[in-house]
Every structure is written in C-alpha cells, then in structure tokens.
Amino acid sequence: MNSNIITLALSKGRIFEETLPLLAAAGIEVAEDPEKTRKLILPTNRPDVRVVLVRASDVPTYVQHGGADIGVAGKDILIEHAASNGDNDGLFQPLDLNIAKCRMSVAVRADFDYEAAVKQGARIRVATKYTAIAREHFANKGVHVDLIKLYGSMELAPLTGLADAIVDLVSTGNTLKANHLVEVEQIMNISSRLVVNQASLKLKRDTIRALIQAFESAIPA
Ligand code: AMP
C-alpha cells in the first residue's frame, strides 16, 4: 500500500452516488464518472486521494487486507463478510453513513401462507445471497430452513418452485410487486458504513481522521 496516497474502495451504483456528497464535504471530487469509463482506478482532484471501483462484496476484503485504506460497505455485506471469513478483524467501522438505506426482508409468493408454514414447524426452503443473515434469523425463530445460496435474481426462486421464500434487500418494494411477491417479515434495517483498515488508521492517522470528521459532518439525516 502506497504510504502517501489514500485509496478509497467504492462499489458502483447507489453507494458511489450517495458517497459523493460526503466526499465533497472533505473537498474531494472524483474526476470521472464510473458509468462512463472502464477504468477501475479513478483519480480525484486531490493528488493524495484515489478511488478504486470494486464489487460491493469485495469492499471489506480490500480494506481488511490493505488493498484500500478506507471503503464504504453495506451492513449486509459486512455481516456476511464476517461470517464467511470468521471475523472482521483489522476492519475498523467508525461511522454509520446513513446512506444506501434499505431493509433485509423475507418475501414469499402472494398465494403462499407463510404464517401457517412457519407455525407448523415444517421445513421451509429459503433462497438467498445472504445466508448468514437468513440462517441467524430463522434459528432465532426456531424455524427449520433449507438454505439455497443464490447470487442474484432471488425473486425468481419462489416463482419457479426453487424455494418457498427469499431473503433479500428491499428498498421501494417495486421489484417484489412486479414479481407478485409480498414482504412478510422485516429482518433488519440496512445502511452503509465507513470501514477503515486499522494499520492505515495508525500510519496515515491525520489524513484519515480528517476524512472521518468531514464525512461525519455530512451524514444525511
Ligand atoms: P426495490 O425494487 O426498490 O425494493 O429494490 C429491490 C432490488 O434492489 C432488489 O433486487 C435488491 O437486491 C436491490 N437493492 C435494494 N436496495 C439495495 C441496496 N441498498 N444495496 C444493494 N441492493 C439493493
């Protein structure tokens, strides 16, 4: 890791867009639009700050292992990362940025009687990308589940008979509605957090502290 440059890991889309005002509060403007370039490293107006574009689920990995000094990752991603790696060691989480807000929910087909299935104590089949969160949720309810790991388009699983229910992120609810699914349980609220590599925090203390303070001053209500 270059000792003079701060590398910030972001994922494209909602997190990138909603991080821009926080960066602006720190006097940082990203020089290129990630939707219009194939570059994975984007310079900023500050010679000592650059942005790397990575998959949302790779942000904790980059920051934990020093490929980036800081990053922005959803609570969902951080929980799943800790579960699959055994820990979030070396990953300092100083701020809830209150951006990219949504909720983690259970959804089923409109004609599926979820309450009855859960009450009877029958096993239900749950398809999800978020296996750690789903496992813990159903374990706490005392419901037996067969978890089916998917990497995308979870809404298809109940429609094709692959699963009885899904656990997925819901924002407006439009995706569920368009696929005739209904939200039957909200598991947790999700927002994105600032994550910092603990060694970077020591080695680049002043710059990173200033960034944390600027971000904190601009967190949306
Ligand atoms: P919506 O139709 O607005 O409820 O959005 C639901 C779709 O967007 C689902 O496919 C979710 O997986 C995805 N989604 C919603 N919010 C987020 C978020 N904050 N981060 C990542 N994916 C999201």
Side-chain angles (χ1 to χ4, degrees), residues 110-177:
D111 59 1
F112 181 78
D113 191 345
Y114 179 70
E115 288 307 322
V118 167
K119 257 193 215 133
Q120 284 162 6
R123 286 187 91 87
I124 61 166
R125 294 165 304 149
V126 176
T128 187
K129 186 158 96 177
Y130 308 97
T131 48
I133 293 171
R135 184 174 293 115
E136 171 152 11
H137 174 69
F138 288 106
N140 288 341
K141 283 169 68 77
V143 173
H144 295 288
V145 287
D146 292 319
L147 287 177
I148 301 165
K149 169 88 183 182
L150 289 179
Y151 293 89
S153 302
M154 277 158 270
E155 299 83 9
L156 259 181
L159 304 179
T160 55
L162 179 68
D164 303 309
I166 60 170
V167 167
D168 194 10
L169 296 174
V170 179
S171 181
T172 60
N174 289 340
T175 306
L176 293 181
K177 214 183 211 172

Side-chain angles (χ1 to χ4, degrees), residues 18-28 70 72 92-99 192-194 196 207-221:
E18 295 188 27
T19 300
L20 289 181
L22 302 172
L23 289 173
I28 300 167
I70 59 176
V72 176
F92 178 54
Q93 298 180 35
L95 290 179
D96 179 350
L97 299 173
N98 211 24
I99 59 167
S192 288
R193 324 244 143 171
L194 186 68
V196 181
T207 317
I208 290 180
R209 286 252 171 132
L211 279 178
I212 293 173
Q213 272 179 9
F215 277 28
E216 192 168 16
S217 73
I219 292 174

Side-chain angles (χ1 to χ4, degrees), residues 53-66:
L53 297 173
V54 302
R55 275 188 78 123
S57 51
D58 290 336
V59 168
T61 308
Y62 269 83
V63 176
Q64 190 171 26
H65 300 290

